[in-house]
Amino acid sequence: MAAEIRAMCAIGLRGQLGLKGRLPWEGNKGWQYQADVARFFDLTKGHVLIAGPATVASIPPLAYKHRTIVEIRSHMHPAEVLARFPESVIYVGGGPPVWEIYAPFIDHWDITRLPYDGDADRWFDPAWLVAAETPG
Ligand SMILES: NC(=O)c1ccc[n+]([C@@H]2O[C@H](COP(=O)([O-])OP(=O)(O)OC[C@H]3O[C@@H](n4cnc5c(N)ncnc54)[C@H](OP(=O)(O)O)[C@@H]3O)[C@@H](O)[C@H]2O)c1
């Protein structure tokens, strides 16, 4: 059985993804934000999460208990990274340059839209949803 490759992210009302290395809404105690974090932990439990160095650095130590978290780098070939986890559910966890490259491999996107409309320095790109694998 081939790996199932998924992506999960939360975005603000205009596609805000990140700010200064954190989630733009970090610390917001609203129920939507709390529910989103809980859902992330629930859905990724028992699976593999691959992400760039800044995203991995923002993951709390507690998260390592029930999932395999792997830092990926730009010199690694995506097909080879994904092949390391056959028969697994692999979540591609960002940030944007990672989704840009791994988008053609993603079978399922799980996007939560949060009621945040403030600043960001990282943005969701809808083009990722229709990215086709380039030949070769
Ligand atoms: N809202 C959400 O759901 C969500 C989810 C994830 C992240 N974020 C936010 O996004 C921000 C972090 O993202 P970021 O993009 O700044 O940094 P990042 O997570 O480190 O991801 C980008 C880095 O991944 C590495 N990378 C690994 N494989 C790559 C590939 N095949 N092609 C290109 N780069 C690859 C590159 O670093 P090297 O060249 O050094 O290897 C690249 O600079 C934070 O603010 C975080 O909170 C938000």
Side-chain angles (χ1 to χ4, degrees):
M1 198 178 79
E4 184 184 330
I5 301 162
R6 304 173 76 96
M8 191 170 177
C9 65
I11 61 175
L13 295 174
R14 289 177 295 118
Q16 296 95 324
L17 267 176
L19 179 64
K20 297 177 182 161
R22 318 292 298 182
L23 296 173
W25 44 84
E26 190 107 349
N28 192 310
K29 302 276 183 231
W31 69 267
Q32 298 99 327
Y33 303 90
Q34 308 267 17
D36 179 60
V37 173
R39 192 161 176 279
F40 172 83
F41 279 100
D42 192 29
L43 292 187
T44 60
K45 193 170 182 177
H47 301 310
V48 176
L49 174 68
I50 62 171
T55 297
V56 167
S58 73
I59 296 173
L62 168 79
Y64 286 78
K65 194 169 176 196
H66 295 297
R67 51 196 66 66
T68 302
I69 298 175
V70 178
E71 182 183 275
I72 52 172
R73 305 302 301 262
S74 47
H75 63 81
M76 299 173 177
H77 194 286
E80 288 173 14
V81 169
L82 298 170
R84 282 161 55 189
F85 309 100
E87 301 180 36
S88 300
V89 175
I90 305 171
Y91 278 90
V92 181
V98 168
W99 282 317
E100 181 78 33
I101 298 297
Y102 283 77
F105 298 94
I106 293 169
D107 304 311
H108 180 101
W109 279 89
D110 185 310
I111 303 163
T112 298
R113 202 158 168 258
L114 293 168
Y116 171 87
D117 204 15
D119 291 345
D121 56 20
R122 297 291 183 273
W123 297 85
F124 182 82
D125 183 351
W128 299 333
L129 304 178
V130 292
E133 201 161 357
T134 47

